[in-house]
Amino acid sequence: MALKDSRTGKTTRSYSIDELKDAANLMRGYNLLALCAAGSGHAGGTLSLMDITAALYLDAAEHDPKNPSWPDRDRIIWSTGHKAPGLYVGLGIAGFCALDDIVTLRKLGSPFQGHPHWLKLPGVEISSGSLGQGLSVSVGMALAARLDGKHHKIFCLMGDGEQQEGEVWEAAMEAGHFHLDNIIAIIDRNRLQIDGWVKDVMNVEPLDAKYRSFGWEVISIDGHDMQQVVDALRRARAVEGKPVVILADTIKGKGVSFMENQAGWHGKSPNRQELDAALKELGLAERIDVDGLLAKAQRFQDEATRKLDAKMPHFSRDYWWNAGVTMQVKMEPTRKGFGRALAESGGDERIVCVGLDISGSITISDFYTGKPERAKRWISLGIAEQSATAAAAGLAREGKLPVIGSYATFSAARNLDQVRTSICYANLNVLIAGAHAGISVGPDGATHQALEDLFAMMGLPNMSVVVPCDAVETRKATNHLLLQHVGPKYIRFAREATPIVTDETTPFVFGKANAIRLRKESANFVDAFETRLASEHKDEREDLSIVAIGPMVPEAMRAAFILKQEYGYETRVLNLHTLKPIDAEAILRAARETGIVITAEEHQIGALAWRVSGLITESHELYGVPVITGAIGVKDRFGESGAPWELVKEFEVSAEHIAQKAVELMALKKKGA
Ligand SMILES: Cc1ncc(C[n+]2csc(CCOP(=O)(O)OP(=O)(O)O)c2C)c(N)n1
């Protein structure tokens, strides 16, 4: 069993129970150290799964760290992608990678992405992070093995909250139907998820009876008793004729007293003090070179920063946010505006907010916080975006005003057909929040960075789409969509704090763009600009226009400042907060009056750019009028882990990139003149 030499088939190392226990302990330490160095990540669930991980990588699975793609290896599928650091220390302890390197976790350019990506690190079998997909992948792998006459096993690690995803049960049915005895699923039953206890968020028990009824063999164990874990994995391997699930009772945060059974430690990383305390409890204070490894992480970070800065467009001075004494700006996450609006408008008895196990961080829970009378209109449906979307349609059909929200990748992509058929085709009054959208969600990495959601949402008939530019505008937009606008509606906002560039007096009219003009450099950034409805803006013979959405509006404003200071160019910025229905008139006027239109979106280029250039090319009134267009946005690539503002640079969606593009287009315009 276990670690093999794939050429000879010989076992290269066997571990005793005591050695496995010791390995699990050491892995807990490296895991917490990596999380501390990253400054984010999931402590609770990685710790609950660690004894199983040690047993799996060092004892149960047959694989060869020197030959990670050995065709006869057992596959280990991390369906529970947020526990990626657990996977990495599993690979590290087994020798697939150096344990020390894992300290670069979640940093820009690291193979140790926030959620696993098989194309970045040998030994990682699949890319995961969107819960509930791993068992389906395992079914595919198991069927492929059967077709190829191979006898390896496919181990699939899942969480108990993850069992709320309907897809898990489709896969369970398939595995049972095909008698896939090459699948061994392991459920880390720590009984907690993000919003609290699984039984309260959405009960999944009795899991043993459920899996049995789907034709599975069920083995229940204490997931922290190493002997039981090892025995269960051996027994599972011997089962014939049906898939096996090991239900492992565990404790979230296991091994560190102040993390154990605490929902708050789900998506949290320890600071240095907490790390030291944790390592002391684990008896590892002397065994792990904390300072040396944190210094290694810092060196990796410094190199990433150096490379990034070298790639940035440079001007005569540093225009970055709050880099100078003037043009100071306050920052706040746009999501806060969403929560504020729900808190203030949620008294309307028709409003029903649907929880999808990410309630605090997307602020949808502000709807009921401190307002017990609203509790009955808060409906937790767990990690089940597809069903929740159709349930929202049902609520709306009965006259309610449902609000659903999650990471935009899960609330506007995973459930796309439900949005399309049950909500949009039926033309029902549902507000969908695409939270944590764009690359600025940062270290979580590609799986959590929605960069395509606007394509989907804009493409749906009946759907309205709003992408507000700051927290203040998000509040106004949410209030409008909630209570004024009837029909399917999508609001997109972000997690990271971004500049506040509007105030209570700034106009917000659904479907109407705002025109923003730089007046003069000021102490406060927001005071340097004048904003009015685009329809009320008189032509000032500006040199160019920038049409921006969401957090790209502040970047466009900063670009206008750079362009004025460095080149004397005058810029008309259009804040196109309502992307659908689009303010065609404002765009066509900007094209006609300035001759250059640059679009800026924190999204794959196209949701905004192609719509705007389509309007321009189809406009009869612009026939024969020279208009140059340019697009700033993500260039057909997936996101990556990194700090939010690093990613703004890496994906070339900063003011500096807009300004650089403007200079390029101005040169063209002058040439044509
Ligand atoms: C499809 C999908 N929806 C939502 C999330 C956000 N999310 C990450 S972890 C998590 C809770 C997972 O709970 P559980 O499976 O019990 O894992 P554990 O509590 O052991 O960490 C959620 C909702 C996600 N990653 N994927």
Side-chain angles (χ1 to χ4, degrees), residues 162-321:
E162 187 178 3
Q163 304 303 302
Q164 293 157 356
E165 284 288 1
E167 182 183 347
V168 170
W169 299 101
E170 295 177 26
M173 183 166 55
E174 291 153 8
H177 176 80
F178 289 113
H179 304 280
L180 295 177
D181 54 10
N182 45 1
I183 290 185
I184 300 170
I186 302 158
I187 299 178
D188 179 13
R189 185 156 63 173
N190 60 33
R191 297 179 197 274
L192 272 173
Q193 55 188 119
I194 298 179
D195 281 358
W197 296 101
V198 175
K199 69 177 170 38
D200 300 329
V201 175
M202 177 53 62
N203 192 16
V204 297
E205 297 292 346
L207 284 175
D208 50 358
K210 283 182 180 149
Y211 272 95
R212 244 180 229 117
S213 72
F214 277 73
W216 289 57
E217 178 77 15
V218 179
I219 302 174
S220 296
I221 56 161
D222 172 348
H224 299 309
D225 180 324
M226 192 56 84
Q227 187 69 58
Q228 283 192 36
V229 176
V230 167
D231 289 347
L233 287 163
R234 288 191 183 159
R235 263 176 64 203
R237 192 179 266 285
V239 170
E240 284 180 16
K242 51 181 166 175
V244 185
V245 61
I246 298 174
L247 298 179
D249 286 327
T250 57
I251 295 171
K252 208 160 171 173
K254 174 71 179 174
V256 181
S257 57
F258 56 92
M259 295 182 185
E260 286 190 3
N261 280 324
Q262 299 298 317
W265 275 99
H266 169 87
K268 201 173 145 191
S269 62
N271 61 28
R272 177 65 200 261
Q273 223 179 353
E274 290 162 337
L275 174 70
D276 288 341
L279 292 180
K280 200 162 155 216
E281 265 195 48
L282 293 166
L284 295 171
E286 307 299 317
R287 243 173 113 185
I288 298 181
D289 174 14
V290 177
D291 289 328
L293 288 174
L294 289 178
K296 180 183 170 87
Q298 191 56 50
R299 282 195 300 278
F300 186 90
Q301 179 61 58
D302 291 345
E303 181 56 13
T305 308
R306 193 192 58 73
K307 279 194 195 145
L308 205 50
D309 285 345
K311 280 202 307 198
M312 281 294 285
H314 287 99
F315 302 97
S316 68
R317 69 185 235 211
D318 183 359
Y319 290 94
W320 195 254
W321 293 112

Side-chain angles (χ1 to χ4, degrees), residues 42 44-46 48 80 82-83 115 129-133 158-163 165 188 190-194 198 252 266 356-358 383-385 406-407 410 414 448:
H42 300 80
T46 47
S48 61
T80 177
H82 61 287
K83 303 188 194 192
H115 291 80
S130 178
L131 293 168
Q133 301 189 18
M158 293 181 281
D160 53 353
E162 187 178 3
Q163 304 303 302
E165 284 288 1
D188 179 13
N190 60 33
R191 297 179 197 274
L192 272 173
Q193 55 188 119
I194 298 179
V198 175
K252 208 160 171 173
H266 169 87
L356 296 175
D357 195 34
I358 184 82
I383 316 167
E385 297 82 2
S406 182
Y407 280 83
F410 310 135
R414 178 158 189 139
H448 285 55

Side-chain angles (χ1 to χ4, degrees), residues 343-410:
E344 65 198 30
S345 299
D348 187 312
E349 289 293 324
R350 293 168 304 161
I351 296 176
V352 176
C353 286
V354 176
L356 296 175
D357 195 34
I358 184 82
S359 307
S361 87
I362 72 160
T363 75
I364 195 169
S365 56
D366 291 3
F367 164 70
Y368 65 83
T369 307
K371 298 180 174 65
E373 71 284 3
R374 294 185 187 175
K376 67 175 191 305
R377 290 188 284 120
W378 167 257
I379 301 178
S380 166
L381 291 182
I383 316 167
E385 297 82 2
Q386 297 166 70
S387 180
T389 302
L395 285 160
R397 184 70 182 84
E398 296 299 333
K400 303 294 178 202
L401 230 160
V403 183
I404 59 171
S406 182
Y407 280 83
T409 44
F410 310 135

Side-chain angles (χ1 to χ4, degrees), residues 118-154:
W118 81 282
L119 295 169
K120 291 233 181 215
L121 188 68
V124 175
E125 295 286 359
I126 60 161
S127 302
S128 61
S130 178
L131 293 168
Q133 301 189 18
L135 195 57
S136 304
V137 177
S138 305
V139 166
M141 288 179 157
L143 289 169
R146 187 177 276 180
L147 286 171
D148 294 343
K150 298 229 173 250
H151 299 288
H152 57 264
K153 297 286 181 187
I154 292 121

